[in-house]
Amino acid sequence: MDMSKREIAAAAARLVVEEGLEYGPAKRRALRDLGLPQRTALPNNDEVETEVRDYIALYCADTQPAELRALRELALQWMERMAPFRPHVGGAVWHGTATRLSDIYIQLFCDDSKSAEISLIDHHVDYEPRMVTGFHGEQVEALSVHAPCRPLGEEIGVHLLVYDLDDLRGALKPDAQGRAPRGDLSALRRVIEQERAGRE
């Protein structure tokens, strides 16, 4: 990684951890904050994630594990609630870099794109429909909820991204580092249990 890319990745990582920005907006703002030309090559997400892990280890090592645990347990509750729609959690909550400022992103894979929305309505859940960028760079409908998180004492954004059932196969291809890019209910339960066992 060249010097300007590393600088951008480090500045973006600080924005991700301290302000809860997503990687794309964090990279663009880091570019602006550093006063670099618009056409400067940006680091990829893996490079930013490496810097995020370093930043957390340096500045948040005593608070971040408990925050991550609270977010993973909240994600698990929502995945259990949305179990009929094959939920998978991705992003910082799955990869272990989430802090109290991180939102939770859960992909749902539905036979009928309206069924998840109908389920929320049936359960009297207030949500806001919006369009977000999906994992192939396409626009995907998200049902966004403000969910109370008791351990953190605040509301967390939970975004339920609605995909077709056919998209599930592509969603599980390993990422550039060979990791599963997202996990289903049983995978998230396993991660939480392993963490519990590690603490005892």
Side-chain angles (χ1 to χ4, degrees):
M1 203 169 24
D2 66 33
M3 198 55 201
S4 64
K5 261 194 189 174
R6 182 165 283 129
E7 263 183 279
I8 295 164
R14 188 180 57 74
L15 293 168
V16 167
V17 178
E18 299 288 344
E19 297 188 24
L21 290 190
E22 294 303 313
Y23 284 17
K27 287 189 276 191
R28 291 190 291 277
R29 203 171 111 201
L31 192 65
R32 256 200 338 270
D33 290 354
L34 293 167
L36 293 166
Q38 258 335 154
R39 287 198 295 276
T40 306
L42 294 174
N44 64 34
N45 287 351
D46 287 345
E47 290 164 339
V48 174
E49 188 184 315
T50 299
E51 294 290 339
V52 166
R53 288 184 188 284
D54 289 350
Y55 192 94
I56 287 170
L58 207 53
Y59 299 107
C60 315
D62 47 352
T63 55
Q64 191 264 348
E67 292 173 5
L68 173 63
R69 187 160 61 248
L71 291 172
R72 281 180 165 165
E73 283 170 0
L74 182 60
L76 188 65
Q77 289 167 26
W78 275 91
M79 289 169 76
E80 285 168 345
R81 184 181 279 189
M82 304 305 283
F85 309 107
R86 303 164 193 84
H88 285 68
V89 65
V93 171
W94 173 244
H95 289 309
T97 55
T99 68
R100 66 189 310 120
L101 296 176
S102 303
D103 284 358
I104 295 171
Y105 291 88
I106 296 170
Q107 286 97 22
L108 306 176
F109 297 91
C110 308
D111 296 309
D112 167 11
S113 64
K114 286 287 162 214
S115 55
E117 200 165 347
I118 290 164
S119 172
L120 293 182
I121 293 166
D122 287 347
H123 289 93
H124 310 291
V125 174
D126 282 333
Y127 66 91
E128 190 185 318
R130 58 177 68 178
M131 297 307 282
V132 298
T133 304
F135 51 76
H136 297 306
E138 76 287 35
Q139 287 296 290
V140 174
E141 186 177 22
L143 311 171
S144 295
V145 175
H146 292 289
C149 182
R150 200 171 291 124
L152 298 181
E154 57 191 80
E155 289 198 332
I156 301 295
V158 177
H159 307 286
L160 306 168
L161 282 62
V162 181
Y163 286 90
D164 286 333
L165 188 53
D166 296 348
D167 291 319
L168 183 53
R169 196 176 299 126
L172 301 178
K173 283 188 181 136
D175 66 12
Q177 296 177 44
R179 305 174 302 182
R182 48 195 57 81
D184 63 8
L185 248 172
S186 61
L188 183 59
R189 273 199 200 104
R190 258 196 320 277
V191 167
I192 291 171
E193 279 159 19
Q194 282 164 359
E195 281 177 347
R196 271 196 202 120
R199 289 198 315 276
E200 284 164 6

